[in-house]
Amino acid sequence: MNVIETHKLTKYYGKSRGIIDVTLAVEEGDFFGFIGPNGAGKSTTIRTLLGLISPTGGKAEIFGLDAQRNKVAILSDVGYLPGEAAFYSGMRVKDILNLSAKLHKKDCQREADILCQRMQLDTQKKVETLSLGNRKKVGIVCALQHRPNLYVLDEPTSGLDPLMQREFYMILQERNEEGATIFLSSHVLSEVQRYCKHAGVIREGKLLVTDRVESLGHTGTKRVSLRGITELPRLDGVKDVKQTGDTWSFLFGGKSAELLGALSKLPIEDVNIFEPDLEEVFMHYYTGEEN
């Protein structure tokens, strides 16, 4: 069963591009990473998906329900964290959490206490005195305390220190193991590689690819490191060239036979050929070199 489905979902702001023909499916129980640089259309996709803004074209469904016609019913079982959460000034953290719980018509006190303890969040402080990271924690607890079946999280770790990022993902993994579906946007590829099962890459409003995270890294591209040469041989498929002294490093997406043939003619002292990490592989999606 697909918890999230979109078909040619499109949003324009006047003549400005938001997203164009985004078609994706997220299965129940998945941990899905939505990857793209700032301005790629991640937040627009999420807001349109949740029925918070109206699409220009296409459609979106959550739990099999139309996102526009059934957004109240849908949002009751969704934990949504916007990229920039805003709160009423003058309220203490505990009051904001209580208000959020009442909007979901649930008693979330016990779960809120556990989450605040794990996220090291002081509930007595007024929201306007909080740092960026602590405001993010408030948004996280609001999104998680009612234990929904679907979490939609927009850049959830921005502003969190590394220890809190790790604790946050531990909580998400626990929820996912209990059966909840996680959909989060991020431009931090190491997070997606470490925690997500599937991922989609969006750039300039268009969804380029979706697949299992480990499959997305298998593009045939290799990281090559050479020592003992003064210049690189001329080869097709070379990019991201780096030089440190007599050591050269580059990504190679051409034919292996051509690479080995060129290297056999060089006075190489040492050579290493290995799989690049996911971040290196995904750069060709970001920079428009996927074709």
Side-chain angles (χ1 to χ4, degrees):
M1 172 185 172
N2 290 330
V3 172
I4 295 174
E5 284 191 30
T6 70
H7 179 68
K8 292 189 175 181
L9 194 62
T10 299
K11 177 63 179 179
Y12 277 92
Y13 300 97
K15 294 183 179 180
S16 298
R17 182 270 303 161
I19 53 174
I20 304 169
D21 292 341
V22 172
T23 298
L24 63 82
V26 178
E27 292 185 354
E28 183 177 14
D30 201 354
F31 201 133
F32 190 94
F34 196 44
I35 312 167
N38 293 332
K42 301 189 299 295
S43 296
T44 295
T45 301
I46 286 173
R47 291 169 187 160
T48 310
L49 173 65
L50 293 177
L52 302 176
I53 56 177
S54 299
T56 306
K59 66 176 183 178
E61 292 184 351
I62 295 180
F63 307 128
L65 303 173
D66 183 270
Q68 286 294 311
R69 293 197 296 266
N70 303 281
K71 60 185 175 183
V72 174
I74 289 170
L75 289 173
S76 68
D77 199 18
V78 172
Y80 170 52
L81 177 67
E84 296 181 5
F87 305 104
Y88 294 114
S89 61
M91 295 182 70
R92 297 186 185 278
V93 171
K94 64 177 184 178
D95 299 322
I96 293 171
L97 301 182
N98 188 45
L99 174 60
S100 177
K102 286 182 177 178
L103 291 174
H104 286 284
K105 299 179 181 179
K106 289 187 177 182
D107 180 0
C108 304
Q109 188 60 58
R110 181 175 179 277
E111 192 64 34
D113 290 343
I114 294 171
L115 290 168
C116 288
Q117 183 177 13
R118 294 184 67 173
M119 298 299 295
Q120 299 178 16
L121 179 62
D122 186 346
T123 61
Q124 298 300 318
K125 289 188 175 181
K126 289 190 175 182
V127 68
E128 61 266 29
T129 68
L130 299 179
S131 65
L132 173 62
N134 281 320
R135 288 200 299 273
K136 177 68 75 171
K137 293 177 187 179
V138 177
I140 288 171
V141 177
C142 285
L144 272 58
Q145 66 176 350
H146 59 293
R147 301 188 71 90
N149 285 312
L150 171 63
Y151 298 89
V152 180
L153 312 166
D154 193 358
E155 298 282 359
T157 59
S158 62
L160 296 181
D161 65 53
L163 289 176
M164 285 298 100
Q165 290 179 20
R166 185 174 66 175
E167 185 65 31
F168 168 69
Y169 274 111
M170 286 179 63
I171 295 170
L172 289 189
Q173 285 181 308
E174 291 165 9
R175 299 289 176 92
N176 183 239
E177 289 169 1
E178 292 168 1
T181 305
I182 314 291
F183 181 97
L184 63 86
S185 73
S186 179
H187 62 271
V188 183
L189 296 173
S190 59
E191 291 182 350
V192 173
Q193 184 173 22
R194 187 175 299 116
Y195 299 107
C196 295
K197 300 174 185 175
H198 292 83
V201 182
I202 188 170
R203 196 194 78 229
E204 296 181 357
K206 295 182 179 180
L207 188 65
L208 302 181
V209 62
T210 62
D211 207 336
R212 293 191 63 85
V213 168
E214 58 266 29
S215 298
L216 287 171
H218 295 161
T219 62
T221 300
K222 304 292 184 183
R223 168 64 67 179
V224 181
S225 176
L226 308 174
R227 183 166 61 85
I229 61 175
T230 56
E231 63 179 354
L232 285 180
R234 293 184 178 180
L235 284 166
D236 292 332
V238 171
K239 54 193 173 186
D240 192 28
V241 177
K242 301 173 183 176
Q243 181 188 10
T244 304
D246 66 346
T247 299
W248 295 74
S249 173
F250 57 91
L251 289 176
F252 181 73
K255 297 180 179 179
S256 298
E258 293 181 4
L259 173 64
L260 295 175
L263 297 185
S264 67
K265 301 173 184 177
L266 299 174
I268 298 171
E269 296 177 10
D270 191 20
V271 58
N272 284 290
I273 302 175
F274 50 92
E275 294 285 343
D277 62 31
L278 191 61
E279 189 158 0
E280 289 182 305
V281 172
F282 272 34
M283 285 308 296
H284 78 282
Y285 290 114
Y286 283 11
T287 57
E289 297 175 359
E290 72 277 7
N291 294 323

